[in-house]
Amino acid sequence: MLNMEAEKHSKTIYNIPLGTLCGVGAGALWGLVFLAPELVRDFTPLQLAIGRFLAYGIIAFVVILCLAGPY
């Protein structure tokens, strides 16, 4: 029983930095939504929205590939 608790605790320790990193990444992407229009004023709002959806889709695709493993 003690061994199971130690294993659960060690998994929690490793998940804290990963969770923090995911939170920082999500915050950076959220902030980019406001920063991008200021950086690229030549693009229309439609082009910005398309670029945003493509970028998020590519990021999600890469995450899914990493989580799926070699199948």
Side-chain angles (χ1 to χ4, degrees):
M1 186 65 143
L2 184 60
N3 198 12
M4 288 175 54
E5 289 179 19
E7 183 179 328
K8 198 182 289 186
H9 179 69
S10 68
K11 286 182 181 179
T12 304
I13 290 173
Y14 292 117
N15 285 337
I16 291 173
L18 179 62
T20 304
L21 183 64
C22 288
V24 168
L29 288 176
W30 182 77
L32 192 60
V33 170
F34 299 103
L35 185 62
E38 294 297 319
L39 295 175
V40 288
R41 294 179 184 238
D42 296 337
F43 292 102
T44 66
L46 178 63
Q47 290 172 326
L48 286 173
I50 291 170
R52 199 174 293 140
F53 279 112
L54 283 173
Y56 291 154
I58 290 169
I59 291 169
F61 183 70
V62 169
V63 169
I64 288 170
L65 285 179
C66 290
L67 292 177
Y71 292 108

